[in-house]
Amino acid sequence: MKTDIDIHNHSHFSFDLWLTLIKSHPEFKAKRVELFSSFFDIDQPIAEVAKAVKYYDDLCNIINEVIGGNVDTFEIYLLILGSLNVDLKQLEKSKLKEFYQKSEDLFLEYKPIVIFENLHQFFEEIKARGKTINILSNTGFIKGRTMRKFLINENLDQFIDFHVYSDEANCSKPNPQIFQEVKCLIKNQDLDLQQVLHIGDNPVADYKGAKDFGFHAHLLTPKI
């Protein structure tokens, strides 16, 4: 990923996560499908489970972008399970929580790959100039709490002034409300909106969302 980002004319930098800074471990999604199938005793071929997981992951991501809200992780689980003919009336929330914990453990074992070139060095350069950084990410299967753990493990959290995740803010990019949350958390409240640069890979959620709010934006081409 190219780091041709203008850090001189901006004072605060907001970064998307997925396909901007990181991408999934190549084995993680398949492992998660296997875990999902075995944990919930799904009586369907693994290929059908994988198909349902991908369908509802993509659908809920689109819903979040179009509506601007946030489909909860457990709601996504229930949509998938319902489509696979699992009796939802027999499920308790504690079961969903237990699965999430197992999936988090799996996520941290098969951790994402950092794709942004020289990321630690780039963050260090920004901070050395007295500038600030945040993470702004829509979430789905992976909650903000888990992303924080990953970023701590990668020694990246030390550079990040604050995090904004859609499951915690209960709204998603490109909803201006979530960009407003970023603005409110910036330490220098006198900072002009044009001094904030949001960097992401999604033309609608990241680039247009940030521009419409009044931030500057930099669109990255994801390296899959």
Side-chain angles (χ1 to χ4, degrees):
M1 189 76 72
K2 298 292 184 184
T3 55
D4 55 340
I5 293 168
D6 178 12
I7 68 170
H8 304 288
N9 295 318
H10 300 93
S11 299
H12 181 84
F13 299 84
S14 172
F15 287 89
D16 172 49
L17 270 178
W18 294 106
L19 299 184
T20 295
L21 301 183
I22 62 174
K23 65 179 179 179
S24 288
H25 186 287
E27 295 182 52
F28 171 67
K29 289 184 178 179
K31 296 283 187 184
R32 182 176 62 191
V33 166
E34 292 171 6
L35 176 65
F36 193 88
S37 182
S38 61
F39 184 86
F40 291 107
D41 297 318
I42 297 172
D43 187 23
Q44 298 273 1
I46 200 74
E48 289 302 310
V49 179
K51 184 178 177 182
V53 167
K54 185 179 189 318
Y55 176 80
Y56 284 102
D57 186 19
D58 292 345
L59 176 62
C60 291
N61 187 50
I62 291 169
I63 290 171
N64 286 342
E65 288 184 14
V66 173
I67 305 299
N70 184 77
V71 181
D72 183 76
T73 304
F74 293 172
E75 292 175 328
I76 302 174
Y77 292 169
L78 293 172
L79 287 167
I80 297 165
L81 291 168
S83 75
L84 294 168
N85 301 318
V86 172
D87 185 358
L88 302 183
K89 293 179 181 179
Q90 301 300 316
L91 275 177
E92 295 182 0
K93 191 173 183 180
S94 59
K95 183 82 169 173
L96 302 178
K97 288 182 176 179
E98 184 184 349
F99 175 76
Y100 186 81
Q101 185 56 58
K102 288 183 179 295
S103 70
E104 178 180 85
D105 294 343
L106 188 70
F107 176 81
L108 295 173
E109 179 182 356
Y110 293 89
K111 64 182 184 178
I113 296 166
V114 175
I115 56 173
F116 195 100
E117 192 175 298
N118 303 317
L119 182 57
H120 286 79
Q121 181 182 334
F122 186 57
F123 276 4
E124 282 177 0
E125 186 178 352
I126 291 173
K127 299 299 285 187
R129 295 173 183 271
K131 305 186 179 194
T132 48
I133 295 171
N134 76 267
I135 297 297
L136 172 57
S137 179
N138 287 357
T139 58
F141 278 115
I142 310 299
K143 293 175 180 284
R145 75 171 212 199
T146 305
M147 296 314 309
R148 283 186 174 85
K149 291 178 183 179
F150 165 74
L151 291 166
I152 289 169
N153 291 346
E154 292 296 304
N155 295 317
L156 287 167
D157 190 67
Q158 61 181 314
F159 304 111
I160 299 165
D161 293 87
F162 61 88
H163 306 246
V164 178
Y165 298 104
S166 63
D167 65 292
E168 298 170 357
N170 202 31
C171 57
S172 300
K173 297 176 291 183
N175 188 334
Q177 186 178 334
I178 203 164
F179 290 99
Q180 180 63 46
E181 182 74 7
V182 170
K183 174 64 174 71
C184 290
L185 289 170
I186 294 173
K187 189 173 182 180
N188 180 3
Q189 284 296 296
D190 295 327
L191 201 64
D192 187 271
L193 291 181
Q194 296 289 294
Q195 285 291 300
V196 179
L197 180 66
H198 178 70
I199 300 104
D201 69 291
N202 187 309
V204 175
D206 291 307
Y207 188 79
K208 188 174 187 300
K211 294 279 280 187
D212 287 350
F213 182 74
F215 290 164
H216 272 178
H218 183 101
L219 184 66
L220 291 173
T221 304
K223 184 189 290 183
I224 312 272

